Every structure is written in C-alpha cells, then in structure tokens.
C-alpha cells in the first residue's frame, strides 16, 4: 500500500502542475495568435501545430534524452510535468481562442467607446467572458491529462500505474493491483468532473 499512495500522490502532482502549465501557457498561445504582427503569429502557429500533431511520448523522449545533450536537464518527474503541460497547452490555446472569438463584437465596441486601455479591455471585459465560456472544454482536457499520466512511466516516472505494476511484480497479484488503479482513476476523474460542472453553473449564473 505505501507504493500505491506514493504513486497516487505523484499522479495528482502531475495532474495539478500539468494543468496549471497547460492553462497558463495555452492562454499565452491564444493571445499570441491575435498579435498584430504575423512575425509573432506564424512562429506560434508552427510551434503549436507541431506539438499538437506529434505524440506525447515522442515529446517526453525528446525532453528527457535530447535536451541533456544541450546542457538542459531536469528530473524525470519535472520533465514529465513540463511535457504534459506543454502538450496540452496547444489544445487549451484553441479553446481559449474559440472563447475569445465568441465574445460579441459589441463588447469590443463598448470598451472602445469607454476609452478603456488595451490591457484593461482584455483583463476586465474580454478574458472574463471568454474564460467563462470555455470552462467545460478546459475541464475535458484535465480528464484527458489524467488518462495520459501513465505515459510518463516511459521516462521512469513512478506514477500510479507504474507503482501498481511494480507492486504486482513483487506479489504476483496483477488483478488486484490493476483493479485498484482503475478505481483510483475513477475516484479522481468523477469528482473532478462534478467540480467542473459546479464551477460552470456558477460562472454561467
């Protein structure tokens, strides 16, 4: 059981920090897409398309094995968190982008009529409305990140599934170990979905 709890805490840590990176960086990408110069938009578009269209496990291997050759090295856990956050930031960027584009044109016009500064227009008018609209989609990606955490075992991160496999290898009780892992994922995912639905209802009203 100590192995199980250690794996569970590692998985939750990956999920929490990976979500934070993906939500924050995704918003940066989305704002960059709206930059007035194409010299910003085009490189951002190329980078995000490349990340979104390559497998997460390839990105894990690149960050873990290639970056050290350039003098950049992190622990396996840190690499996994960065990789999963970076990967999903390209998806959340599109969610934010859709939310921003869904804000009625009248809101932009009202901000202009009130002579609001550019930054104030974004922070007080546009982003609050855009984020309110995209909470359900962002929540879906939290669940997707949770399901992808076992991939981090490819770079030796001892998350929940890997801990269970090691435990099962010692006891030869694979059925029990993997059943517990499945239940644990459900117990994390289902309350998370309920929390996100409650947050969505609160933001809508």
């Amino acid at each position: 059981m100590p192995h199980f709890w250690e794996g569970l805490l590692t998985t939750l840590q990956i999920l929490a920090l990976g979500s934070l990176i993906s939500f924050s960086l995704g918003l940066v990408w989305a704002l960059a897409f709206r930059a007035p110069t194409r010299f910003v938009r085009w490189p951002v578009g190329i980078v995000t398309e490349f990340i979104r269209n390559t497998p997460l496990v390839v990105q894990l291997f690149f960050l873990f094995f290639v970056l050290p050759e350039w003098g950049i090295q992190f622990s396996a856990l840190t690499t996994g968190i960065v990789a999963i956050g970076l990967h999903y930031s390209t998806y959340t960027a599109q969610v934010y982008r859709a939310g921003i584009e869904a804000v009625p044109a009248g809101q932009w016009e009202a901000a202009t009529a009130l002579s609001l500064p550019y930054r104030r227009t974004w922070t007080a008018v546009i982003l609050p409305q855009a984020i309110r609209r995209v909470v359900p989609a962002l929540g879906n990606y939290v669940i997707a990140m949770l399901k992808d955490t076992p991939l981090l075992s490819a770079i030796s991160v001892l998350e929940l599934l890997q801990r269970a496999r090691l435990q099962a290898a010692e006891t030869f009780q694979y059925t029990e170990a993997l059943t517990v892992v499945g239940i644990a994922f459900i117990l994390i995912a289902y309350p998370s979905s309920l929390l996100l639905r409650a947050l969505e209802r609160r933001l809508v009203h």
Side-chain angles (χ1 to χ4, degrees):
M1 288 304 291
H3 294 293
F4 169 81
W5 292 114
E6 290 173 5
L8 179 61
L9 289 175
T10 300
T11 295
L12 292 174
Q13 183 181 2
I14 295 167
L15 181 61
L17 296 179
S19 297
L20 180 62
I21 293 172
S22 68
F23 292 166
S24 303
L25 187 55
L27 183 57
V28 172
W29 295 135
L31 295 176
F33 286 138
R34 299 184 64 89
T37 172
R38 62 185 179 182
F39 295 108
V40 174
R41 296 194 304 268
W42 285 8
V44 169
I46 292 171
V47 169
T48 55
E49 284 296 323
F50 178 80
I51 294 173
R52 188 165 57 248
N53 289 286
T54 53
L56 174 57
V57 69
V58 172
Q59 295 164 24
L60 283 168
F61 286 149
F62 182 87
L63 293 177
F64 192 66
F65 294 110
V66 177
L67 287 187
E69 296 181 3
W70 299 347
I72 304 173
Q73 187 168 4
F74 303 104
S75 68
L77 178 59
T78 300
T79 300
I81 291 171
V82 170
I84 203 167
L86 178 62
H87 183 80
Y88 276 96
S89 72
T90 61
Y91 292 95
T92 59
Q94 295 302 322
V95 173
Y96 284 125
R97 188 177 183 180
I100 291 170
E101 292 175 353
V103 175
Q107 297 296 312
W108 296 91
E109 295 168 358
T112 302
L114 293 171
S115 300
L116 290 179
Y118 183 76
R119 181 176 296 180
R120 180 70 173 168
T121 298
W122 275 100
T123 58
V125 180
I126 305 305
L127 289 181
Q129 296 184 62
I131 292 174
R132 187 180 300 122
R133 297 168 184 269
V134 301
V135 166
L138 292 178
N140 290 336
Y141 284 119
V142 172
I143 305 303
M145 275 186 274
L146 172 65
K147 293 178 181 179
D148 275 349
T149 54
L151 290 177
L152 273 59
S153 64
I155 57 171
S156 72
V157 175
L158 297 178
E159 43 68 55
L160 183 58
L161 180 60
Q162 184 69 353
R163 290 280 187 181
R165 289 173 58 190
L166 293 175
Q167 181 70 31
E170 295 176 0
T171 63
F172 299 102
Q173 296 177 331
Y174 286 94
T175 301
E176 293 83 347
L178 295 178
T179 299
V180 169
V181 169
I183 293 173
F185 273 99
I186 293 173
L187 292 178
I188 297 172
Y190 186 64
S192 298
S193 65
L194 293 179
L195 179 61
L196 289 165
R197 289 176 192 171
L199 179 59
E200 177 187 358
R201 288 194 296 268
R202 182 170 183 177
L203 290 174
V204 169
H205 299 293

